[in-house]
Amino acid sequence: MLLRPEQRTKLDADDDKQFYSFPRFVTHVDEGFIQQLTDLYRDRLQPNTRILDMMSSWVSHLPEEMQFAHVEGHGLNAEELARNPRLNHYFVQDLNENPRLPLSDQEFDAVLNCVSVQYLQYPEAVFSEIYRVLKPGGIAIISFSNRMFYQKAIQAWRDASEATRIELVKGYFASVLGFTTPEVIAKQSNIPAFLQWLGAGGGDPFYAVIAKRQN
């Protein structure tokens, strides 16, 4: 296993479903991050394909002009998922409680995870599931910034630098035999760190780690 038991712990060990029981109709990153993510989706996703938006919410940041055959949503708050206009269907499941997805083998052309990978306590199991539900040649795009619900992020993420977090996600992919060598897109913040810590907007760093299922 990639992570030690203590690295999987959270400051808030209460039931995640309680923490996410009320909807948050906000975006957790700034407009610059969202635009970069939408541009990445526009470049890497194909129209009329099947998409799994894992750990989603009320918005998926998919390009408005692109139409897909099916977008399946997953998350922890049904009210948020019901508000998401891009989802054709959704389901609620706590992946830290049960990482096994109720989805068929090789069902999707792409799996997306936006600013949520830091909350996975058993990422090796979840990335194995990502591999299972992807079609051969299918793509997985894991995007993140430096923002998080600190009390719900695992220790390995909380203690890591931004560069080390990239290596963590690369390691999650590498823990599953059959993914391509991960590609990294990294665009660091253009505002000073102390202003970010004070909550200043306009300069969220953008990171994406991308891999494909080989066969």
Side-chain angles (χ1 to χ4, degrees):
M1 300 295 281
L2 183 68
L3 299 180
R4 300 185 303 276
E6 68 272 14
Q7 291 182 296
R8 304 178 193 276
T9 60
K10 302 179 177 187
L11 295 176
D12 178 0
D14 291 342
D15 191 334
D16 288 342
K17 292 189 291 294
Q18 292 182 351
F19 183 80
Y20 295 101
S21 62
F22 60 93
R24 296 175 173 88
F25 296 114
V26 297
T27 53
H28 300 286
V29 282
D30 67 13
E31 288 301 318
F33 181 102
I34 292 170
Q35 186 60 59
Q36 290 179 85
L37 182 60
T38 300
D39 289 344
L40 178 62
Y41 288 164
R42 183 179 290 112
D43 182 54
R44 302 302 180 94
L45 303 179
Q46 299 298 317
N48 303 313
T49 54
R50 294 180 60 83
I51 309 294
L52 171 60
D53 188 10
M54 177 184 284
M55 304 176 79
S56 185
S57 64
W58 66 285
V59 60
S60 291
H61 309 305
L62 294 165
E64 290 185 6
E65 77 279 6
M66 290 186 75
Q67 298 301 313
F68 300 97
H70 182 88
V71 180
E72 184 77 16
H74 156 263
L76 272 176
N77 186 280
E79 194 172 344
E80 289 183 14
L81 296 169
R83 183 82 69 89
N84 190 327
R86 298 308 301 264
L87 303 182
N88 299 110
H89 182 265
Y90 64 84
F91 63 97
V92 174
Q93 181 173 322
D94 182 353
L95 296 179
N96 291 331
E97 194 174 79
N98 175 20
R100 177 76 178 185
L101 297 172
L103 303 167
S104 300
D105 294 354
Q106 301 185 18
E107 187 176 349
F108 295 95
D109 299 279
V111 175
L112 314 176
N113 185 301
C114 172
V115 298
S116 295
V117 68
Q118 60 266 30
Y119 306 122
L120 293 174
Q121 291 181 282
Y122 302 96
E124 306 95 333
V126 173
F127 275 65
S128 180
E129 283 292 280
I130 292 173
Y131 177 85
R132 182 182 66 80
V133 303
L134 275 175
K135 298 176 182 179
I139 190 171
I141 301 175
I142 312 298
S143 59
F144 52 96
S145 188
N146 59 356
R147 299 188 186 220
M148 70 189 90
F149 293 121
Y150 193 79
Q151 68 272 40
K152 284 296 183 181
I154 64 169
Q155 184 191 77
W157 195 273
R158 297 194 313 269
D159 291 349
S161 65
E162 292 182 25
T164 308
R165 289 168 184 163
I166 294 172
E167 295 304 313
L168 265 179
V169 180
K170 288 169 63 179
Y172 297 164
F173 275 120
S175 72
V176 181
L177 185 64
F179 277 116
T180 59
T181 301
E183 172 193 356
V184 173
I185 297 173
K187 298 182 180 179
Q188 296 179 336
S189 177
N190 56 11
I191 64 172
F194 77 93
L195 289 178
Q196 294 182 55
W197 297 334
L198 292 173
D204 285 0
F206 177 84
Y207 301 108
V209 183
I210 305 163
K212 292 184 177 182
R213 172 173 171 152
Q214 295 187 81
N215 49 49

